[in-house]
Amino acid sequence: MYRIFEFNPQLIPYEKDIELRMELYLKTKKRLLAKGQTLNDFANAHNYYGFHHVKGGWYYREWAPSAQQLYLEGEFNDWKKTSHPLTKLEGGNWEIFLEGDDSLWDGCKVKVVVDTKFERTERFPLYTKRVVRDPVSLVFDAVVVDDKKTFKWTDKKFKGENELYIYEAHVGMAQEEARIGTYIEFADKILPKVKQAGYNTIQLMAIMEHPYYGSFGYQVSNFYAASSWFGAPDDLKYLVNKAHKMGIRVLLDVVHSHAVKNTAEGINMFDGTVWQFFHDGEKGEHPAWGTKCFNYGNDGVLHFLLSNLKFWMEEYHFDGFRFDGITSMLYHDHGLGTDFNSNDRYFSLNTHTEAITYLQLANELIRQVNPNAITIAEDMSGMPGMCLPIEDGGIGFDYRLGMGLPDLWIKTVKELRDEDWNIFKIWCDMCLRRPGEKTIAYVESHDQALVGDKTMIFRLADAAMYTDMNKDCHNPVIDRAVALHKMIRLLTLGGGGEGYLNFMGNEFGHPEWIDFPREGNGWSYHYCRRQWSLKDNGFLKYQWLGDFDEEMISLAKNNDLFVQQMGDLMLNKEKEQILVFYRHGLLFAFNFNPDQSMANILVPVHQPGEYTVVLSTDDEKFGGWDRIEHMTYPTKKFDGKHYVELYLPARTAVVLKELVILPSEEA
């Protein structure tokens, strides 16, 4: 019996389903791999297909099993469509060798002409590593990348920190000017901000090439090309290398859940058929996203996608992946409208078993390429075993995103009066995590910042943000917003998971939503940028929020907070809206009551000693009222139990550190 049942005894009635999961995984590996092969040996499509500069010339190879004939055209042959035919090999493969080192060159524009049974089309090579966009015509072109040119990496000994503090970022909108930012700008200007804020991991969105900027990078056209919106491939390598120099891990937001429908730039219908990569008919159409759905049961698709993961790790030194859209992958109905309120929902005919197998293979491959790599699953459904090792009956991810936490906070702030908040229920929702599986906690990601939704600070402050964020202004609406913004983040970090995530700018309460340039806003970049000056100019309350976030992250990191996987609830006073919990040497105390301060609160603790205040949301430097003294509290003993006696002002949270008294000091 697999170990998944030790963590989840309620799954025992589904033992045959877990056994089927493992049987399909082993069968697929056996089918894909030759004797003695590993997935690392198998996932090398990028080293065979595409353009490769060798001694005496260039090879170009393509996979197009249903094509009638392929030709290579481009600047090298004055765009003659049929002068350079490819030779058909076994397995649907095609090849041409161009003699001479100068027969192609780095930056040479090319296309592949594909003759199908019904038509002739011009396409981008499937494994193209770079596209460029003409600034006048706005048309994309595929260009050759000379793989003999090498980037000088200096990160051989890099190893990220053990605990994850993730800064989710979008390169293009990371600058303050109303335009698209670059990889170089991000490396030189934004990475220092991330480092200063204390985050040790960046999660980069929109890196895989996408023709529509406003898709946030989630409609990928060219899976092996670094997005041309932000610069050249070497510029991205510069960014990753510099992050590693600064001790910052870099994760790729990888999109293997679907692909853009485009045929001109994308992979759809490349060899004249839908089924080269995707399911045919309705099954291949995503009803909500208008994109194409991969056929994970196709060995050629597995070769393409698994090799893609290895490519990003080897070519660009990414340290792992956040897998987008996993819920959509896991279920034939894409999880749309499904309420995952019983285990029957996970093990039924709706379950896409081939997608589960692919995710298991992906996680195994990633660890073979880099044993220190990190994988994070964006799964709303709570699929059992998502973050358990494969050998235990799991799918193999390290972490799942705590996607219920933003919904919890939105529902609380939007629907309830402050005095009606049920703090104990909030705590219980924080603890609603699958045993043995790690969670990344967060209050808001990019999803909550998009136009049509609201960031947490906007929900709390609304229009007053535009008029009353000066430090010398005391609007009670803003006072409440600033206080709750800090408390909500502190509670989420302290109690919500074994890692923490923030979307760039939200740490200081960035005031506006994200709205990409589109026809409806006159193609404006005004809302597609980050106004760092709001925090940095020193006159506005955003500085208080940013400074608090920095100190909060520092405290958690310095105390290895996530070593203890779940906080211990020490005190719950539901009526008074007071909550206190302990986690790895730190005592987190919250008073969410909007107007009632509480004195002489007796908080039970695990052992006698002293507790000293190390963080308070009420400090004046964070926009508070300085009602908490940074002092040391000795424990008191009543009825054989040990307590700390606290004063908790209204709408305030405080963190105290447990001081261990050595026996020699007690003597």
Side-chain angles (χ1 to χ4, degrees):
M1 186 176 283
Y2 293 103
R3 196 158 176 248
I4 189 174
F5 300 109
E6 294 178 24
F7 293 110
N8 301 271
Q10 70 274 18
L11 294 180
I12 290 175
Y14 305 92
E15 183 176 358
K16 288 186 178 179
D17 294 281
I18 298 297
E19 288 177 351
L20 176 62
R21 172 190 290 183
M22 299 308 295
E23 181 184 334
L24 293 173
Y25 154 74
L26 293 171
K27 276 186 176 179
T28 305
K29 266 180 64 173
K30 187 175 181 180
R31 187 179 75 241
L32 293 177
L33 306 181
K35 188 175 181 180
Q37 239 190 358
T38 66
L39 287 170
N40 198 12
D41 299 322
F42 169 77
N44 286 309
H46 53 292
N47 293 328
Y48 178 76
Y49 298 112
F51 294 93
H52 297 285
H53 192 178
V54 298
K55 186 176 181 179
W58 293 74
Y59 274 108
Y60 168 58
R61 301 188 187 94
E62 202 61 87
W63 177 60
S66 295
Q68 302 290 303
Q69 179 61 52
L70 267 62
Y71 306 89
L72 183 64
E73 65 167 336
E75 291 179 311
F76 72 97
N77 71 351
D78 294 324
W79 298 101
K80 295 173 184 174
K81 287 191 177 358
T82 59
S83 64
H84 287 72
L86 276 68
T87 301
K88 189 169 186 179
L89 309 176
E90 294 181 355
N93 296 320
W94 299 79
E95 176 185 274
I96 186 174
F97 180 72
L98 288 79
E99 290 189 13
D101 288 327
D102 58 354
S103 57
L104 290 174
W105 58 91
D106 191 76
C108 175
K109 292 180 182 179
V110 291
K111 284 186 179 178
V112 54
V113 178
V114 182
D115 282 353
T116 72
K117 190 174 181 179
F118 304 104
E119 63 178 343
R120 169 173 288 175
T121 60
E122 293 180 312
R123 306 299 303 269
F124 286 10
L126 288 177
Y127 289 80
T128 187
K129 294 180 181 177
R130 186 183 182 192
V131 304
V132 294
R133 183 171 179 257
D134 188 281
V136 178
S137 69
L138 306 182
V139 172
F140 287 93
D141 287 295
V143 300
V144 173
V145 173
D146 189 346
D147 53 4
K148 275 193 172 182
K149 293 175 63 178
T150 56
F151 181 84
K152 293 182 180 179
W153 293 94
T154 60
D155 62 350
K156 187 175 182 180
K157 296 182 179 180
F158 173 76
K159 183 180 179 183
E161 296 176 6
N162 291 331
E163 298 183 344
L164 286 190
Y165 294 86
I166 302 172
Y167 203 77
E168 185 186 31
H170 183 282
V171 170
M173 56 177 290
Q175 83 303 315
E176 190 146 354
E177 296 178 38
R179 59 177 176 82
I180 298 175
T182 69
Y183 296 122
I184 299 294
E185 288 173 328
F186 188 95
D188 293 344
K189 297 179 181 179
I190 307 306
L191 284 180
K193 294 180 183 294
V194 177
K195 180 72 173 177
Q196 175 64 35
Y199 292 87
N200 59 20
T201 303
I202 54 171
Q203 180 177 296
L204 291 181
M205 310 171 63
I207 295 301
M208 303 168 79
E209 187 61 80
H210 49 289
Y212 177 45
Y213 186 55
S215 75
F216 231 143
Y218 290 124
Q219 295 193 9
V220 174
S221 53
N222 311 105
F223 285 76
Y224 287 80
S227 177
S228 58
W229 291 104
F230 318 127
D234 277 3
D235 297 344
L236 175 57
K237 294 175 184 178
Y238 171 82
L239 188 165
V240 176
N241 195 55
K242 186 162 186 175
H244 288 167
K245 281 183 182 179
M246 300 171 73
I248 298 172
R249 183 189 283 108
V250 188
L251 303 181
L252 173 67
D253 194 346
V254 70
V255 185
H256 281 183
S257 47
H258 60 132
V260 72
K261 280 185 175 180
N262 298 34
T263 55
E265 306 97 348
I267 64 174
N268 185 26
M269 297 286 292
F270 181 83
D271 71 350
T273 67
V274 172
W275 56 81
Q276 181 182 6
F277 286 101
F278 310 113
H279 289 288
D280 200 5
E282 187 178 332
K283 190 175 179 181
E285 303 285 335
H286 198 292
W289 299 339
T291 49
K292 302 298 294 183
C293 300
F294 284 106
N295 178 3
Y296 302 105
N298 182 323
D299 290 358
V301 172
L302 292 177
H303 197 209
F304 181 83
L305 293 177
L306 290 172
S307 300
N308 190 233
L309 296 171
K310 183 175 180 180
F311 167 80
W312 287 106
M313 296 176 77
E314 289 190 337
E315 184 75 11
Y316 290 97
H317 290 205
F318 279 96
D319 303 295
F321 303 92
R322 178 262 201 191
F323 277 71
D324 174 69
I326 283 185
T327 306
S328 175
M329 297 171 67
L330 292 177
Y331 309 100
H332 293 300
D333 68 356
H334 307 291
L336 298 172
T338 301
D339 186 358
F340 294 94
N341 55 5
S342 78
N343 287 321
D344 292 334
R345 305 288 190 178
Y346 304 114
F347 306 107
S348 70
L349 294 177
N350 187 37
T351 305
H352 196 333
T353 55
E354 292 168 342
I356 292 175
T357 299
Y358 165 67
L359 293 171
Q360 289 176 302
L361 297 174
N363 276 293
E364 181 176 341
L365 166 70
I366 289 164
R367 296 332 184 292
Q368 288 178 4
V369 176
N370 178 5
N372 297 315
I374 299 293
T375 58
I376 301 171
E378 189 213 25
D379 172 33
M380 297 177 63
S381 73
M383 169 65 76
M386 181 64 71
C387 302
L388 289 177
I390 298 168
E391 60 266 26
D392 293 340
I395 298 176
F397 284 90
D398 293 301
Y399 299 85
R400 70 168 78 239
L401 286 174
M403 300 183 73
L405 296 177
D407 292 341
L408 161 69
W409 287 120
I410 290 170
K411 187 177 179 66
T412 300
V413 171
K414 184 178 179 180
E415 299 181 4
L416 299 175
R417 299 182 308 160
D418 291 3
E419 52 267 40
D420 294 333
W421 288 19
N422 187 327
I423 307 306
F424 181 63
K425 181 184 182 303
I426 291 173
W427 169 254
C428 291
D429 286 348
M430 289 276 168
C431 298
L432 197 61
R433 315 204 284 274
R434 287 200 175 273
E437 303 192 36
K438 293 182 179 180
T439 295
I440 300 293
Y442 63 105
V443 176
E444 51 192 342
S445 68
H446 71 275
D447 286 326
Q448 288 72 42
L450 285 167
V451 67
D453 206 335
K454 284 186 176 182
T455 60
M456 182 51 63
I457 195 68
F458 232 144
R459 290 187 182 280
L460 293 168
D462 212 15
M465 289 193 74
Y466 292 111
T467 56
D468 298 330
M469 285 298 281
N470 288 331
K471 288 181 178 179
D472 58 1
C473 177
H474 294 291
N475 181 334
V477 173
I478 294 296
D479 291 345
R480 168 185 176 268
V482 168
L484 289 178
H485 195 269
K486 292 177 289 185
M487 294 179 72
I488 288 170
R489 274 165 164 68
L490 182 62
L491 178 52
T492 304
L493 180 144
E498 294 74 35
Y500 183 71
L501 176 143
N502 166 70
F503 180 69
M504 63 176 187
N506 286 358
E507 72 278 10
F508 64 84
H510 198 281
E512 293 174 334
W513 55 78
I514 302 162
D515 190 11
F516 279 87
R518 56 187 172 85
E519 189 174 0
N521 64 16
W523 301 103
S524 170
Y525 288 89
H526 179 76
Y527 293 106
C528 198
R529 59 195 178 106
R530 296 284 91 178
Q531 299 179 65
W532 306 104
S533 60
L534 294 175
K535 173 185 177 294
D536 296 339
N537 66 27
F539 301 111
L540 302 174
K541 297 178 183 181
Y542 301 105
Q543 182 183 9
W544 291 339
L545 297 177
D547 289 350
F548 175 80
D549 193 85
E550 183 179 325
E551 196 153 326
M552 176 183 75
I553 296 294
S554 176
L555 177 66
K557 287 176 67 177
N558 292 338
N559 289 277
D560 300 319
L561 181 68
F562 301 136
V563 167
Q564 181 177 336
Q565 288 204 342
M566 195 79 74
D568 302 328
L569 181 62
M570 308 305 293
L571 181 67
N572 165 45
K573 296 175 75 68
E574 195 168 320
K575 183 179 178 182
E576 293 84 356
Q577 296 180 294
I578 286 176
L579 180 83
V580 184
F581 63 91
Y582 170 93
R583 191 171 185 186
H584 203 247
L586 297 177
L587 197 66
F588 294 79
F590 296 82
N591 180 1
F592 276 95
N593 197 290
D595 49 35
Q596 187 175 354
S597 298
M598 298 289 291
N600 309 117
I601 302 170
L602 290 178
V603 179
V605 292
H606 290 307
Q607 62 185 14
E610 293 181 331
Y611 287 78
T612 187
V613 174
V614 289
L615 182 66
S616 168
T617 63
D618 199 51
D619 281 358
E620 187 177 12
K621 64 181 179 179
F622 303 137
W625 305 97
D626 257 351
R627 293 167 292 180
I628 296 289
E629 289 189 59
H630 281 252
M631 58 180 285
T632 298
Y633 296 82
T635 56
K636 299 180 179 182
K637 191 172 183 180
F638 298 101
D639 298 328
K641 296 181 180 179
H642 300 280
Y643 298 85
V644 173
E645 187 174 352
L646 298 179
Y647 166 60
L648 285 178
R651 281 207 189 108
T652 294
V654 61
V655 183
L656 299 96
K657 185 169 183 178
E658 177 183 44
L659 301 180
V660 178
I661 301 175
L662 300 175
S664 59
E665 294 175 339
E666 292 180 332

